[in-house]
Coordinates of all heavy atoms in Angstrom, one line a residue:
D22 N -139.5 67.9 63.9 CA -138.3 68.3 63.3 C -138.1 69.8 63.3 O -137.0 70.3 63.0 CB -138.2 67.8 61.8 CG -139.3 68.2 60.9 OD1 -140.4 68.5 61.5 OD2 -139.1 68.2 59.7
L23 N -139.2 70.6 63.6 CA -139.1 72.1 63.6 C -138.9 72.6 65.0 O -138.7 73.8 65.2 CB -140.3 72.7 63.0 CG -140.4 72.6 61.5 CD1 -141.8 73.2 61.0 CD2 -139.3 73.4 60.8
V24 N -139.1 71.8 66.0 CA -139.1 72.3 67.4 C -137.9 73.0 67.8 O -138.0 74.2 68.3 CB -139.3 71.1 68.4 CG1 -139.2 71.5 69.8 CG2 -140.7 70.5 68.2
E25 N -136.7 72.5 67.6 CA -135.5 73.1 68.0 C -135.3 74.5 67.3 O -134.9 75.5 67.9 CB -134.3 72.2 67.8 CG -133.1 72.5 68.6 CD -133.4 72.6 70.1 OE1 -134.1 71.7 70.7 OE2 -133.0 73.6 70.8
Q26 N -135.6 74.6 66.0 CA -135.5 75.8 65.3 C -136.4 76.9 65.8 O -136.1 78.0 66.0 CB -135.7 75.5 63.8 CG -135.4 76.7 62.9 CD -135.6 76.4 61.4 OE1 -136.2 75.3 61.1 NE2 -135.1 77.2 60.6
V27 N -137.7 76.5 66.1 CA -138.7 77.4 66.6 C -138.3 77.9 68.0 O -138.3 79.1 68.3 CB -140.1 76.8 66.6 CG1 -141.1 77.7 67.4 CG2 -140.6 76.5 65.2
V28 N -137.8 77.0 68.8 CA -137.4 77.4 70.2 C -136.2 78.4 70.1 O -136.2 79.4 70.8 CB -137.0 76.2 71.0 CG1 -136.3 76.6 72.3 CG2 -138.3 75.4 71.4
E29 N -135.2 78.1 69.2 CA -134.1 79.0 69.1 C -134.5 80.4 68.6 O -134.0 81.4 69.1 CB -133.1 78.4 68.1 CG -132.3 77.3 68.7 CD -131.3 76.6 67.6 OE1 -131.1 77.3 66.6 OE2 -130.9 75.5 67.9
V30 N -135.4 80.5 67.7 CA -135.9 81.7 67.1 C -136.5 82.6 68.2 O -136.3 83.7 68.4 CB -136.8 81.6 65.9 CG1 -137.6 82.8 65.6 CG2 -136.0 81.1 64.7
I31 N -137.4 81.9 69.0 CA -138.1 82.6 70.1 C -137.1 83.1 71.1 O -137.2 84.2 71.6 CB -139.2 81.7 70.7 CG1 -140.3 81.4 69.7 CG2 -139.8 82.4 71.9 CD1 -141.3 80.4 70.1
E32 N -136.2 82.2 71.5 CA -135.3 82.5 72.6 C -134.4 83.7 72.2 O -134.2 84.6 73.0 CB -134.4 81.2 72.9 CG -133.5 81.4 74.0 CD -132.7 80.1 74.3 OE1 -132.9 79.1 73.5 OE2 -132.0 80.1 75.3
E33 N -133.9 83.6 71.0 CA -133.0 84.7 70.6 C -133.7 86.0 70.3 O -133.2 87.1 70.7 CB -132.2 84.3 69.3 CG -131.2 83.2 69.5 CD -130.7 82.6 68.2 OE1 -130.9 83.2 67.1 OE2 -130.0 81.5 68.3
T34 N -134.9 86.0 69.8 CA -135.6 87.2 69.4 C -136.3 87.9 70.6 O -136.3 89.1 70.7 CB -136.7 86.9 68.4 OG1 -136.1 86.2 67.3 CG2 -137.3 88.2 67.8
A35 N -136.7 87.1 71.6 CA -137.4 87.6 72.8 C -136.5 88.0 73.9 O -136.9 88.7 74.8 CB -138.4 86.6 73.3
R36 N -135.2 87.7 73.8 CA -134.3 87.9 74.9 C -133.9 89.4 74.9 O -133.5 90.0 73.9 CB -133.0 87.1 74.7 CG -132.0 87.4 75.8 CD -130.7 86.6 75.6 NE -131.0 85.1 75.8 CZ -130.6 84.2 74.9 NH1 -129.9 84.6 73.8 NH2 -130.8 83.0 75.1
T37 N -134.0 90.0 76.1 CA -133.5 91.4 76.3 C -132.3 91.3 77.3 O -131.6 92.3 77.4 CB -134.5 92.3 76.9 OG1 -134.8 91.9 78.3 CG2 -135.8 92.4 76.1
G38 N -132.1 90.2 78.0 CA -131.1 90.1 78.9 C -131.5 90.6 80.3 O -130.7 90.6 81.2
K39 N -132.7 91.0 80.5 CA -133.2 91.5 81.7 C -134.2 90.5 82.3 O -134.8 89.8 81.6 CB -133.8 92.9 81.6 CG -132.8 93.9 81.1 CD -133.4 95.3 80.9 CE -132.4 96.2 80.5 NZ -132.9 97.3 79.6
I40 N -134.4 90.7 83.6 CA -135.4 89.8 84.3 C -136.7 90.0 83.7 O -137.1 91.1 83.3 CB -135.3 90.1 85.8 CG1 -136.0 89.0 86.6 CG2 -135.9 91.4 86.2 CD1 -135.8 89.0 88.1
G41 N -137.5 88.9 83.6 CA -138.8 89.0 83.0 C -138.9 88.7 81.6 O -140.0 88.9 80.9
D42 N -137.9 88.2 81.0 CA -137.9 87.9 79.5 C -138.9 86.8 79.2 O -139.4 86.7 78.1 CB -136.5 87.5 79.0 CG -135.7 88.7 78.6 OD1 -136.2 89.8 78.6 OD2 -134.4 88.5 78.4
G43 N -139.2 85.9 80.1 CA -140.2 84.9 79.9 C -139.7 83.5 80.0 O -138.6 83.2 80.4
K44 N -140.5 82.5 79.5 CA -140.2 81.1 79.5 C -140.7 80.5 78.2 O -141.6 81.0 77.6 CB -141.0 80.4 80.7 CG -140.6 80.9 82.1 CD -139.5 80.1 82.6 CE -139.2 80.3 84.1 NZ -138.9 81.6 84.5
I45 N -140.2 79.3 77.9 CA -140.6 78.5 76.8 C -140.9 77.1 77.3 O -140.1 76.5 78.0 CB -139.6 78.5 75.6 CG1 -139.3 79.9 75.1 CG2 -140.1 77.5 74.5 CD1 -138.1 79.9 74.1
F46 N -142.1 76.6 77.0 CA -142.5 75.2 77.4 C -142.7 74.4 76.1 O -143.4 74.9 75.2 CB -143.8 75.2 78.2 CG -143.7 76.1 79.4 CD1 -144.2 77.4 79.4 CD2 -143.1 75.7 80.6 CE1 -144.1 78.3 80.5 CE2 -143.0 76.5 81.7 CZ -143.5 77.8 81.6
V47 N -142.2 73.2 76.1 CA -142.4 72.3 75.0 C -143.1 71.0 75.5 O -142.6 70.4 76.4 CB -141.1 71.9 74.3 CG1 -141.4 71.0 73.1 CG2 -140.4 73.2 73.8
T48 N -144.3 70.7 74.9 CA -145.1 69.5 75.4 C -145.5 68.7 74.2 O -145.7 69.2 73.1 CB -146.3 70.0 76.2 OG1 -147.1 70.9 75.4 CG2 -145.9 70.6 77.5
P49 N -145.7 67.4 74.4 CA -146.1 66.6 73.3 C -147.6 66.8 72.9 O -148.4 67.2 73.8 CB -146.0 65.1 73.8 CG -145.7 65.2 75.2 CD -145.4 66.6 75.6
V50 N -147.9 66.7 71.7 CA -149.3 66.8 71.2 C -149.7 65.4 70.6 O -149.0 64.9 69.7 CB -149.5 67.9 70.1 CG1 -150.9 67.9 69.5 CG2 -149.2 69.2 70.7
E51 N -150.7 64.8 71.1 CA -151.1 63.5 70.7 C -151.9 63.5 69.3 O -151.7 62.6 68.5 CB -152.0 62.8 71.7 CG -151.2 62.5 73.0 CD -152.1 61.7 74.0 OE1 -153.0 61.0 73.6 OE2 -151.7 61.8 75.2
E52 N -152.7 64.5 69.1 CA -153.5 64.6 67.9 C -153.9 66.0 67.6 O -154.1 66.8 68.5 CB -154.8 63.8 68.2 CG -155.7 63.6 67.0 CD -155.2 62.7 65.9 OE1 -154.5 63.3 65.0 OE2 -155.4 61.5 65.9
V53 N -154.0 66.2 66.3 CA -154.5 67.5 65.8 C -155.6 67.2 64.8 O -155.4 66.3 63.9 CB -153.4 68.3 65.1 CG1 -153.9 69.6 64.5 CG2 -152.3 68.7 66.1

């Protein structure tokens, strides 16, 4: 339930608008 909020925060905060801003990957976690 927090995934979309976390992704949005990272995307908005890390964006400079220039090449090399990065990537975000989301993968399932079976167990912690």
Side-chain angles (χ1 to χ4, degrees):
D22 58 337
L23 287 174
V24 170
E25 203 52 47
Q26 190 177 11
V27 170
V28 167
E29 284 176 15
V30 164
I31 295 170
E32 187 177 3
E33 291 170 10
T34 309
R36 180 182 294 129
T37 67
K39 297 182 179 147
I40 195 165
D42 275 351
K44 297 270 191 299
I45 301 171
F46 305 96
V47 180
T48 55
V50 173
E51 292 183 27
E52 184 70 271
V53 175

